[in-house]
Amino acid sequence: MKTKKIRMPGFFKGLKVTFMTMLKTLFPGGLKKPVPNPSAGAHTVQYPRVKELPPTRARGVIALHTENCTACMLCARECPDWCIYIEGHKELAPPRREGGKPRQVNKLDRFDIDFALCMYCGICVEVCPFDALFWSPEFEYSEPKIDDLLHDSKRLTNWMDTVPSFTEYEDGSEQKVRAVPDPVEKV
Amino acid sequence: MSQTEQLSYIAGQAADARLNLELETDGMVINLGPQHPATHGTLRLVARLEGEEVVEAEPIMGYMHRGYEKLAEVRTYLQVTALINRIDWLGSFANEVPFILGAEQLMEIEVPDRARWIRTLLFELSRIANISLFLGEMGLQLGAVTPAFFAFRDREFVLNQIEQVTGGRFHPNFDRIGGLKDDLPAGWIAETKSVMKRMRTFCDEIEDLLVGNEVFETRMRGIGVIPAEVGLSYGLSGANIRASGVDWDLRRDEPVGLVYDQLDWKVWTHPDGDSFARYWVRVQEVREATKMVEQILDGLPSGPIMAKVPRIIKVPKGEAYIQTENPLGAMGYYIISKGDLTPFRLKIRSASFNNISITPWLLKGTLVPDIITILGSLYFILGDIDR
């Protein structure tokens, strides 16, 4: 007589998977020395108390290095949502060398980014030819009023403190690691 | 029979007739959606029922139409890339690739090897991120909540890897005409390898949880069978058509610009064509994708990641159509350029639109509870349908 092979029904097989996951979550240190520590085994964190840091390249908020900005309007033109507002004027600065002609410099009057409209594509940071815009992974700037999401140049400059330095590249890359400019004193 | 009895007999007959008239079953029309948790967005399905049986079903699309084809006409190529991320929001990077390849074909740009390899790598990572969510969500359609949580948990690792490279979890906006925006950060390769191992464990877990499960099998096997010729005539693509036994994969058949021809992998098919086959093929596809990612990580050539491209991109006059095998199926962009900063016309062929078009044929004669299973197993994303 052929003996019928006893197969574990799929239902119980599934229960086993769930049970093992529960054990792994409850005892992340292993079952040999079962110390229950579900907060370490869980994949989530208790947000306001524990914070997960986004990677350095994360597109959280745009920081402005005002010294480098020449009000060339490239970012405002390339922005798909037109959420960057720039106003500037030309000014005569003292000449660099003795006896030279006075230089013409572009002064920034207004640099606003409306984060309510921004879609975080990063095109403005990419097209900036003078290294004035940087991404910061900071993300906690939600506001009760939508108008307050319009960050002016002062607020954008303050984000410069949170900009992390650029990461090194993986082997075989020919990219050059860029440097983040030193923050100027706060306005 | 007395007169009273006669009258009461007539009254009774009349009451019966009225009751019959009221109970006359004329079929019932139910609206599934537009806001229904089982439709992944805003798809409305109007089904005419005869008892529990569906006589006629018609999907009504367009609730999420955003007019991408028209929007693209007034945006530069750099801006279009940011826009088309939002078509299939679960595997965003895969949306960018065919568009960029088409523009590169028009501009006749030779892309560096390293960029092509990293493109393929991110393409497969977005496939894993996309399909692994389906693997969990299919359980949710049938009332099993655990697989969905498992899928969200393990998919997060893949999204983290994508975010570390591109800066965006959902919308990478990383592909550029001529190459890529940036190179891989240090330490990323080793981390990704361990994540790939984890994703294979996830596939095993999900197979133990669902594929062997008796309830799952009875609800999926033999339900919603698509014969190969019907599927082909409706323009199905991707895993849906491979589950019907058609050995068709654009990654192998026309590997334009990507490096699939240099990798060792297999196209999985299933002869049945039912809901279960579609699920099974996708489980294998995730496995195959993890293996492909590991091969790419091992064989990554060194070099630049960007070809020489003018700063202001003007695509020369011409037309190009490029199709790639996206997570949901064949996705193509038909670009017509008149030599301007913006495309003159951009036609988007997205997989889900064709995949959902089979539902009137497929749902005819099925039972009401099976609607959800069949819709779930076809796996569409509403952003991909309506664009």
Side-chain angles (χ1 to χ4, degrees):
Chain A
M1 205 177 100
K2 235 167 97 180
T3 46
K4 207 177 163 192
K5 201 181 159 196
I6 302 166
R7 285 193 310 146
M8 188 163 65
F11 175 68
F12 291 109
K13 215 166 158 187
L15 277 185
K16 194 187 130 203
V17 174
T18 328
F19 186 71
M20 290 312 284
T21 312
M22 188 194 81
L23 286 185
K24 256 186 236 164
T25 313
L26 281 179
F27 309 111
L31 287 174
K32 293 238 173 81
K33 223 168 75 183
V35 186
N37 189 4
S39 62
H43 287 263
T44 46
V45 292
Q46 302 291 324
Y47 165 61
R49 279 181 279 127
V50 190
K51 279 175 191 170
E52 262 188 341
L53 280 177
T56 46
R57 283 189 192 180
R59 301 199 289 261
V61 70
I62 298 167
L64 171 73
H65 190 68
T66 337
E67 303 292 293
N68 284 356
C69 183
T70 60
C72 69
M73 311 279 282
L74 261 180
C75 49
R77 259 188 292 155
E78 281 291 325
C79 177
D81 312 324
W82 300 285
C83 71
I84 305 179
Y85 309 100
I86 301 178
E87 277 165 27
H89 68 276
K90 291 201 165 92
E91 223 171 57
L92 288 180
R96 279 213 185 89
R97 271 173 285 131
E98 203 68 34
K101 266 202 286 184
R103 288 179 299 142
Q104 201 175 45
V105 286
N106 293 318
K107 277 281 178 207
L108 199 64
D109 294 332
R110 175 186 181 214
F111 193 106
D112 294 355
I113 297 181
D114 191 350
F115 281 106
L117 284 178
C118 178
M119 64 186 219
Y120 299 89
C121 62
I123 289 177
C124 51
V125 180
E126 208 181 329
V127 297
C128 182
F130 303 107
D131 275 1
L133 291 171
F134 294 92
W135 276 113
S136 154
E138 200 64 38
F139 57 91
E140 293 161 312
Y141 55 94
S142 55
E143 301 278 358
K145 265 169 51 197
I146 199 165
D147 299 355
D148 296 339
L149 277 171
L150 185 96
H151 291 200
D152 56 2
S153 63
K154 195 174 150 195
R155 212 164 159 202
L156 290 170
T157 313
N158 288 345
W159 286 124
M160 270 313 282
D161 298 343
T162 60
V163 176
S165 54
F166 287 96
T167 43
E168 298 282 321
Y169 290 107
E170 194 68 80
D171 295 342
S173 162
E174 288 180 6
Q175 292 287 104
K176 280 192 191 102
V177 183
R178 288 163 63 210
V180 179
D182 295 327
V184 282
E185 63 273 22
K186 272 193 191 167
V187 228
Chain B
M1 200 185 274
S2 70
Q3 207 184 359
T4 344
E5 275 174 342
Q6 234 171 14
L7 279 174
S8 70
Y9 176 74
I10 291 168
Q13 287 282 305
D16 275 0
R18 198 164 59 241
L19 199 66
N20 275 340
L21 201 72
E22 279 169 3
L23 284 183
E24 183 72 49
T25 48
D26 200 21
M28 190 169 71
V29 177
I30 61 158
N31 270 296
L32 195 78
Q35 298 283 336
H36 190 273
T39 56
H40 308 259
T42 44
L43 175 80
R44 180 170 159 220
L45 195 79
V46 180
R48 201 150 62 77
L49 308 178
E50 195 75 68
E52 276 282 289
E53 200 181 307
V54 179
V55 183
E56 207 182 338
E58 194 193 350
I60 296 171
M61 311 155 198
Y63 286 93
M64 246 186 77
H65 184 67
R66 293 154 288 172
Y68 278 168
E69 295 183 4
K70 212 70 195 164
L71 283 174
E73 289 173 16
V74 290
R75 271 162 177 76
T76 62
Y77 284 84
L78 191 60
Q79 292 172 348
V80 170
T81 323
L83 193 69
I84 57 182
N85 269 181
R86 275 101 178 141
I87 291 177
D88 161 17
W89 49 67
L90 291 182
S92 294
F93 186 79
N95 295 328
E96 302 171 15
V97 173
F99 174 73
I100 295 289
L101 288 176
E104 274 166 2
Q105 200 185 58
L106 282 175
M107 291 177 80
E108 291 170 359
I109 290 174
E110 193 67 42
V111 184
D113 261 357
R114 191 174 169 87
R116 282 170 60 212
W117 280 72
I118 296 177
R119 251 181 215 176
T120 319
L121 170 71
L122 288 169
F123 200 100
E124 286 308 308
L125 277 182
S126 65
R127 182 188 309 279
I128 296 168
N130 188 329
I131 300 180
S132 63
L133 187 64
F134 161 79
L135 298 181
E137 220 170 76
M138 197 60 230
L140 198 65
Q141 316 278 11
L142 303 174
V145 188
T146 319
F149 283 117
F150 278 30
F152 274 114
R153 180 194 69 194
D154 285 343
R155 180 169 170 270
E156 200 62 27
F157 290 98
V158 181
L159 289 181
N160 280 346
Q161 292 313 105
I162 294 177
E163 191 186 12
Q164 276 182 32
V165 180
T166 63
R169 270 157 44 87
F170 264 51
H171 304 304
N173 191 18
F174 197 62
D175 218 353
R176 296 286 178 269
I177 291 176
L180 293 163
K181 187 178 154 194
D182 214 344
D183 213 318
L184 304 176
W188 189 82
I189 287 179
E191 215 171 300
T192 312
K193 274 183 183 163
S194 73
V195 169
M196 287 305 113
K197 235 174 244 154
R198 201 188 162 92
M199 286 317 286
R200 274 202 292 279
T201 327
F202 163 71
C203 287
D204 296 342
E205 274 182 359
I206 230 71
E207 268 192 343
D208 281 352
L209 264 177
L210 287 179
V211 173
N213 190 305
E214 285 77 16
V215 181
F216 188 77
E217 297 241 339
T218 16
R219 289 290 305 276
M220 300 280 273
R221 278 208 196 263
I223 306 286
V225 180
I226 305 175
E229 59 274 13
V230 178
L232 283 173
S233 65
Y234 272 98
L236 250 64
S237 54
N240 289 332
I241 197 72
R242 283 197 286 280
S244 300
V246 182
D247 194 7
W248 179 89
D249 196 318
L250 282 175
R251 289 178 284 176
R252 181 197 56 200
D253 301 341
E254 9 177 307
V256 207
L258 301 172
V259 292
Y260 288 112
D261 45 350
Q262 295 171 44
L263 306 173
D264 176 33
W265 60 289
K266 184 178 182 298
V267 178
W268 289 87
T269 55
H270 198 286
D272 287 0
D274 53 4
S275 297
F276 183 82
R278 290 193 280 277
Y279 188 84
W280 186 86
V281 165
R282 286 198 175 98
V283 177
Q284 306 310 324
E285 228 164 73
V286 172
R287 283 225 177 94
E288 211 60 39
T290 57
K291 281 175 203 160
M292 266 194 262
V293 167
E294 280 180 350
Q295 285 175 39
I296 295 169
L297 289 175
D298 288 334
L300 203 61
S302 58
I305 48 150
M306 194 76 184
K308 282 231 171 347
V309 180
R311 196 159 179 98
I312 294 167
I313 288 165
K314 273 192 182 169
V315 174
K317 212 168 174 177
E319 299 174 11
Y321 181 67
I322 293 272
Q323 235 183 353
T324 51
E325 179 79 21
N326 275 36
L328 298 166
M331 180 173 199
Y333 289 87
Y334 191 87
I335 307 170
I336 302 179
S337 176
K338 298 249 161 152
D340 286 334
L341 286 168
T342 61
F344 178 74
R345 174 87 170 87
L346 181 70
K347 167 80 184 85
I348 305 169
R349 189 258 191 230
S350 61
S352 292
F353 185 81
N354 290 56
N355 288 351
I356 198 80
S357 303
I358 201 174
T359 42
W361 181 88
L362 190 58
L363 290 178
K364 208 170 272 177
T366 54
L367 300 179
V368 175
D370 290 339
I371 295 179
I372 308 297
T373 328
I374 293 169
L375 282 183
S377 74
L378 276 176
Y379 193 39
F380 47 86
I381 285 173
L382 261 293
D384 206 32
I385 295 176
D386 290 337
R387 304 191 292 278

